[in-house]
Amino acid sequence: MHHYQKSLSYKIFTIFNYFILALIALLCILPLIHILAVSFSGSAAATANIVGLWPVDFTLDAYKKTIGNENFVRALFNSFLRVILGTSISMAFMLCAAYSLSKSDYDFKGRKIYMWFFVFTMLFHGGLVPTYMVVTKLGLTDTIWALVLPSAINAFNLILLVNFFRTSVPKSLEEAAIIDGANHFTIFWRIYLPISVPAIATISLFTIVFHWNSWFDGMIYMSNVKHYPLSTFLQTIIVQQDFSKMSVDAETLKNLSERTVKSAQIFIAALPMLIIYPFVQKFFVKGIVLGAEKE
Amino acid sequence: MLLPAVIIVFIFQYIPLLGLVMAFQDYEPWLGFLHSPWVGLEHFKTMFEYEDARQVIWNTLVISTLKIIFNLVVPLVFALLLNEVYIMKFKRTVQTIVYLPHFLSWVILGGILIDMLSPEGGIVNRVFVSLFNIEPIFFLGDNDWFRTVVVITDVWKECGFNTIVFLAAITSINPTLYEAAIVDGANRWQQTIYVTLPSMLPIIIVVGTLSLGNILNAGFDQILNLYNPLVYKTGDIIDTYVYRVGLLNGDFSYGTAVGLFKSVISFILVVTGYRLAYKYANYKVF
């Protein structure tokens, strides 16, 4: 479009620009490559700090030790369970709610009140201590429900879904279905859901990422390390370096504090995000832009 | 169909609001809300008298203000630079890579950063020492460095993702404006100053005013994964403080009081932010 613009200063700027952008991109990816290189390196080389961006004394030892660690594998399983259960419950509840809330004020009296009921939670919270006490009093501690239920409804995602339903579903299609005798569930299932695949994919991705990455609730609501999701497990091992709950023998302890093993664990934890993210990138960019555009 | 969502939100968002009465009591778990002694504003007074609580509020404001400014400016500049790229493959590759850190948690990034920034042979110190011939810096254990590291790493994580909105705004600018500017003899730089930036002003205002509501959120996840007792002086923020005194030390009432203070101020700021965004950029949430 602007190719005719070829003044010298613009050419210099262009070269400079490509250079800066490439540099920024490198800064974003190099830390991951470094960690990957450490995880594939021999532990002697890693301890001696000679690994840069390429493995030294290539070995799979760190990954073998990680997979052999019972607590790690169980945490990995807990995380998968949490993501599957959490995302399906969240999406089911939010989609149903969004369907009702997308109706016009005329069809659904009290829509505004319910909308504010949800929006208010974005504005004002009870805070950490009272929420903790509710979850504890309900007896959810040490169960997966403590990780799944409190966060099931995200008001912001709900608003995105409502907006999507309101703007993207042709009203005439809905009316035609009603005339043909379709009830709400049929309309929801046959019309709303198929039309909203991009929005559903985007928000499912956000929910999956949220559940995979959450660690704090695991830490405060789970008293037994057996119930830790992977992020919580890693937080205790790698960030806090707290092995007190782990009740491990000297050999395992040595393995866990090894730099290559830590790097392998970090990389395994990052891997699912690295895999799903490029596939849905197109979706979420569209989804966000759609959510940001206002009439 | 609305019922499941309403029940969940009622239990986990509205019932905790009742728990806020703890802030005005000396809550004792065996007495419960009904019988714990009433102390009125005692805990709030304590908060403003405590040296460490005042420090924590100050830290929160400094860190979040810096984050708000840099998380607005850097993505904006980045979007403008990216807009000058006409090799689509390059543009898409850069975008894909810079969005990525947003999807990694602070646990993962914390693990990576603690390793990379370590004074004992962390890769950053190795590079700095060999380039500038200086003593290794203990980035995460030094009060002079901690805030800088927190702001830089946060911008690093979120810059790509925050760019998306600005890029979308750039693509929706009417091309005839550029054509008119070119006819008037404007070069690329002048087009950016006189067309692109003014056209993006509404979205800049929206992003800026809405982030006002976050001024007391300096990043709980990030700080909790990066800090340690050495840097409490500059790095401890309201949320991490509430967690420490409220849950770890079991001082439920005081923790709730500090949390309530934060919630009230945030509420006022969020509402103000939305009002301003609506007034100056015609932004509506729903």
Side-chain angles (χ1 to χ4, degrees):
Chain A
M1 178 171 144
H2 302 286
H3 281 283
Y4 53 88
Q5 278 264 346
K6 284 199 177 106
S7 69
L8 183 64
S9 60
Y10 189 66
K11 269 186 203 157
I12 293 172
F13 163 78
T14 305
I15 295 168
F16 179 72
N17 189 22
Y18 278 82
F19 177 74
I20 289 284
L21 290 173
L23 193 72
I24 294 173
L26 279 178
L27 280 178
C28 287
I29 196 87
L30 287 185
L32 272 173
I33 295 176
H34 172 64
I35 279 296
L36 189 63
V38 173
S39 74
F40 281 119
S41 295
S43 55
T47 320
N49 293 313
I50 51 172
V51 184
L53 297 173
W54 198 253
V56 180
D57 306 331
F58 182 89
T59 165
L60 290 173
D61 269 2
Y63 287 90
K64 282 182 195 145
K65 282 177 189 165
T66 304
I67 300 297
N69 180 345
E70 201 189 325
N71 282 329
F72 182 89
V73 176
R74 201 169 20 219
L76 193 64
F77 171 78
N78 288 342
S79 268
F80 276 119
L81 183 67
R82 172 181 187 166
V83 166
I84 293 166
L85 201 63
T87 309
S88 26
I89 289 182
S90 247
M91 290 312 288
F93 285 13
M94 286 201 293
L95 284 168
C96 287
Y99 174 77
S100 317
L101 293 171
S102 70
K103 299 292 161 208
S104 68
D105 294 334
Y106 177 76
D107 288 329
F108 177 21
K109 306 261 185 316
R111 188 190 89 89
K112 277 238 161 73
I113 298 169
Y114 281 106
M115 208 66 199
W116 273 109
F117 177 80
F118 290 109
V119 171
F120 183 73
T121 64
M122 284 167 70
L123 304 176
F124 199 84
H125 316 255
L128 176 64
V129 182
T131 311
Y132 171 82
M133 290 181 73
V134 168
V135 175
T136 321
K137 286 265 158 65
L138 286 171
L140 298 181
T141 33
D142 271 313
T143 69
I144 188 112
W145 304 111
L147 310 178
V148 165
L149 292 181
S151 53
I153 309 296
N154 177 308
F156 187 76
N157 288 346
L158 184 64
I159 292 171
L160 287 184
L161 283 175
V162 172
N163 280 343
F164 194 91
F165 282 165
R166 299 200 100 181
T167 49
S168 307
V169 179
K171 286 285 158 272
S172 51
L173 198 62
E174 196 178 339
E175 278 157 19
I178 294 173
I179 292 168
D180 289 346
N183 62 23
H184 279 308
F185 285 99
T186 322
I187 295 173
F188 174 60
W189 198 251
R190 293 279 186 78
I191 297 176
Y192 276 68
L193 291 191
I195 287 177
S196 314
V197 170
I200 296 173
T202 308
I203 291 169
S204 298
L205 170 76
F206 287 160
T207 315
I208 291 171
V209 173
F210 166 81
H211 277 299
W212 184 261
N213 285 340
S214 290
W215 58 279
F216 185 66
D217 44 6
M219 199 165 83
I220 58 175
Y221 297 135
M222 303 296 140
S223 55
N224 190 333
V225 65
K226 283 196 170 72
H227 300 123
Y228 274 9
L230 187 60
S231 294
T232 312
F233 177 81
L234 284 184
Q235 215 275 340
T236 11
I237 292 290
I238 292 169
V239 180
Q240 290 183 37
Q241 311 238 14
D242 175 12
F243 302 101
S244 59
K245 274 192 184 173
M246 301 294 160
S247 64
V248 284
D249 53 281
E251 178 64 16
T252 325
L253 197 67
K254 195 182 128 262
N255 286 343
L256 285 174
S257 46
E258 224 177 77
R259 200 163 158 237
T260 52
V261 177
K262 279 184 188 172
S263 305
Q265 292 177 331
I266 291 174
F267 191 74
I268 293 176
L271 198 58
M273 294 300 108
L274 298 179
I275 293 171
I276 59 168
Y277 148 78
F279 290 103
V280 274
Q281 193 201 337
K282 271 223 174 88
F283 274 140
F284 79 69
V285 172
K286 269 189 207 145
I288 289 168
V289 173
L290 221 129
E293 263 170 20
K294 290 280 155 338
E295 65 273 32
Chain B
M1 286 170 89
L2 200 55
L3 200 61
V6 170
I7 293 172
I8 290 285
V9 168
F10 183 76
I11 294 176
F12 294 105
Q13 302 280 350
Y14 284 86
I15 295 182
L17 295 181
L18 298 176
L20 288 173
V21 295
M22 276 190 295
F24 306 97
Q25 296 177 325
D26 261 336
Y27 178 77
E28 300 287 359
W30 57 87
L31 293 175
F33 299 120
L34 296 177
H35 304 288
S36 289
W38 197 258
V39 296
L41 294 175
E42 193 64 39
H43 296 298
F44 294 93
K45 276 189 207 138
T46 320
M47 182 173 83
F48 286 108
E49 280 159 12
Y50 265 14
E51 181 62 34
D52 56 348
R54 283 208 302 256
Q55 181 72 44
V56 158
I57 295 171
W58 174 244
N59 291 345
T60 311
L61 288 173
V62 172
I63 293 174
S64 62
T65 309
L66 288 173
K67 276 186 180 177
I68 287 172
I69 295 170
F70 284 100
N71 272 324
L72 188 66
V73 174
V74 176
L76 181 63
V77 172
F78 187 64
L80 291 174
L81 291 181
L82 213 50
N83 188 44
E84 299 298 321
V85 169
Y86 295 106
I87 305 173
M88 275 305 139
K89 227 178 190 161
F90 180 84
K91 190 173 176 180
R92 238 172 291 156
T93 313
V94 170
Q95 279 177 289
T96 306
I97 295 173
V98 295
Y99 295 163
L100 179 67
H102 172 82
F103 290 90
L104 301 175
S105 74
W106 275 116
V107 174
I108 292 170
L109 296 179
I112 296 178
L113 289 169
I114 289 171
D115 183 90
M116 285 179 47
L117 296 174
S118 137
E120 290 120 27
I123 194 161
V124 175
N125 268 311
R126 266 153 64 202
V127 171
F128 276 25
V129 168
S130 64
L131 278 184
F132 309 114
N133 200 18
I134 46 166
E135 287 290 300
I137 301 166
F138 191 4
F139 290 102
L140 295 174
D142 185 333
N143 279 304
D144 293 335
W145 275 100
F146 189 73
R147 284 177 189 156
T148 315
V149 173
V150 165
V151 173
I152 290 177
T153 53
D154 188 62
V155 171
W156 170 70
K157 183 179 193 282
E158 302 300 342
C159 143
F161 203 71
N162 294 336
T163 305
I164 295 177
V165 180
F166 292 128
L167 273 179
I170 292 178
T171 37
S172 64
I173 296 172
N174 190 346
T176 53
L177 290 176
Y178 289 106
E179 283 157 21
I182 291 164
V183 172
D184 289 345
N187 60 27
R188 284 303 291 154
W189 174 246
Q190 287 163 331
Q191 288 171 39
T192 306
I193 296 292
Y194 296 110
V195 179
T196 316
L197 277 178
S199 308
M200 289 174 78
L201 202 59
I203 194 76
I204 298 173
I205 292 174
V206 167
V207 175
T209 46
L210 293 189
S211 57
L212 193 65
N214 273 325
I215 202 137
L216 293 185
N217 289 327
F220 178 72
D221 257 25
Q222 182 194 16
I223 304 264
L224 208 61
N225 279 305
L226 291 180
Y227 84 161
N228 54 67
L230 287 176
V231 286
Y232 280 173
K233 193 171 151 260
T234 53
D236 202 11
I237 56 168
I238 297 177
D239 288 326
T240 50
Y241 182 70
V242 169
Y243 168 57
R244 277 215 323 283
V245 297
L247 287 191
L248 292 186
N249 301 346
D251 198 345
F252 289 129
S253 284
Y254 182 61
T256 309
V258 179
L260 178 60
F261 165 76
K262 188 201 148 183
S263 296
V264 171
I265 305 283
S266 293
F267 177 76
I268 296 169
L269 290 173
V270 171
V271 174
T272 315
Y274 278 129
R275 283 260 164 101
L276 291 176
Y278 179 66
K279 193 172 167 196
Y280 293 106
N282 206 17
Y283 174 85
K284 274 187 291 187
V285 192
F286 66 92

